[in-house]
Amino acid sequence: MDPEVSPQPTDAMSSPGTSDRPLRVAVIGSGPAGFFVAQRLLTRPDLVATVDLYERLLTPFGLVRFGVAPDHEEIKRVTRQFDKVAAKPGFRFFGNVDVGSHVTLDELRPYYDMICFTTGAETDRRMGIPGEDLVRSHAATEFVAWFNGHPEYRDRQFDLSVERVAVVGVGNVAVDVARILSRSAEELSTTDIADHALEALRQSRVKEVYMLGRRGPAQAAFTNPEVKELGELAGADIQVMEEEVELDPLSRAEVEQSDDRKLQKKLEILREFAAHSPAGKPRTLTIRFLVSPVELVGNEAGQVEGLRVVRNRLVADGSGRLRPEATDQSELLPVGLVFRSVGYHGVPLAGLPFDQERGVVPNERGRVLTPPGDAPMLGVYVSGWIKRGPTGVIGTNKKDAAETVGTMLEDLALGALRSPAHPQPETVESFVRQRQPAVVTYADWQRIDQLETARGEPQGRPRVKFTSTEEILAALNRDRQDR
Ligand code: NAP
């Protein structure tokens, strides 16, 4: 055991978690994973806790603000639950504070009983094929962050003067990217899409969008409401080839044996797409199956001008999972822009162990484990994508938070914690403000929220986002002076 660590006293009066001595928790990362951990801790009747939620950006909500597509406004309503969490006694928001640079894990430890990282999966996976770094080849995640007004991506350029675009992958992120590229400017103009993206998409000359699945329709990762919506776009016809929606014998056997109603429904939607004739809309969105990209082909200027794909057949691996195997047939798709949408990937966090292969922090039900012996890192936890990998929908993080908080409370009961030297909430606040004077509080965020909403009103939009740090700080300063 770490010599600095002494188990907590078991005396109920002085052990953390009571009104005399609330459990002091720092949560790092204010996306859904972080808010659900805070919610769980602050709503237990048998526990008195305080939660300081740290966020490196100026605004909360992580992928709800910067990942959920702008035309999916209803999904963002989950932030109303987060507002309720933020209104609980014991909750504080430290926005604009980067744990890792402004303050480190080791520096925070003397102030908290427990620290839980909920930082998500910040980067994307690569395809690992030649030409991936050509101009006009991008990660879908960057495009998503750009059209959602993420301050670190607002200056990215995507060449929408090309007519044909390929999106590699058939998960829900690929669907979001393909749909935003296929929507008309009128459809987008009532959303909270970033102004710079609205303007660029208004000028877009894209006519054909391809989504490419390396396996068959029965293995597609997208969910039914998301794929169904692709058949309902005002300005784009959906197209699926009949021969590609036909199941291969292995998939057919698998589908027949399972009673997965959602999968049956997904196949029905895709068959309807294949049967339906185009209505002559200005754009076409084509979903392809059983094709893998093998090379991005460039022109003399180093820009993408084609994507070579190989046709696959499905074979069962040792565990019975159907995986793609390349045939000798290939084709060149004449696309000028490629978005790889083959999954997110976590990044290492300063001071924490990391599993590079899976892109997660090694853990057991949220308790961080240090290799090689897998000893628990006392008082340090993870939840959300940095814990389990980039899968599931927003609500999945609620279940995940329940598990992590369960583990935290087990450790609390066992006294398997460090004793922080300065558990008083004021001491950490003055320390953090010394390092980062421009802390954004939740009240500041609520003001930003009101200002963005007011900017959207005349245009009939839910909000017009501020997309730079300077803009937000200037708006807050103006607002403080006006009061
Ligand atoms: P995902 O669901 O894991 O999909 C990744 C896709 O990339 C799969 O089709 C996968 O195919 C394919 N792929 C992986 N490696 C590939 C390669 N080398 N070549 C070609 N294709 C490759 O990931 P995601 O779309 O990034 O979504 C992440 C999570 O966020 C998911 O749980 C998703 O449901 C969720 N999400 C939800 C919504 C929503 O609810 N509206 C919106 C966005 C995201 P294989 O199956 O063959 O591996």
Side-chain angles (χ1 to χ4, degrees), residues 321-347:
R321 184 177 185 270
L322 299 186
R323 65 169 179 82
E325 186 178 81
T327 67
D328 55 9
Q329 293 169 38
S330 69
E331 59 183 294
L332 183 68
L333 294 176
V335 294
L337 186 60
V338 171
F339 292 105
R340 59 177 181 277
S341 183
V342 297
Y344 285 82
H345 197 79
V347 296

Side-chain angles (χ1 to χ4, degrees), residues 63 67-69 72 75 125-128 141 168-176 179 212-215 219-223 226 291-293 321-322 324 341-344 385 390-394:
L63 281 184
V68 172
H72 279 175
I75 297 181
R125 292 183 55 228
R126 291 177 64 86
M127 298 182 285
T141 52
V168 178
V170 285
N172 281 333
V173 172
V175 172
D176 283 345
R179 193 181 67 252
L212 309 177
R214 63 178 171 178
R215 298 191 288 159
Q219 293 80 32
F222 47 58
T223 42
E226 280 65 29
V291 286
S292 276
R321 184 177 185 270
L322 299 186
S341 183
V342 297
Y344 285 82
W385 280 5
T391 59
V393 292
I394 292 171

Side-chain angles (χ1 to χ4, degrees), residues 351-407:
L352 289 187
F354 193 64
D355 177 341
Q356 190 59 49
E357 177 71 21
R358 295 185 53 221
V360 299
V361 171
N363 71 91
E364 191 234 344
R365 292 181 296 120
R367 184 186 289 122
V368 173
L369 301 178
T370 318
D374 283 352
M377 198 169 173
L378 281 192
V380 184
Y381 305 86
V382 281
S383 196
W385 280 5
I386 195 65
K387 169 189 177 190
R388 66 173 199 277
T391 59
V393 292
I394 292 171
T396 315
N397 295 300
K398 195 165 184 170
K399 234 171 71 192
D400 205 359
E403 185 186 67
T404 293
V405 171
T407 304

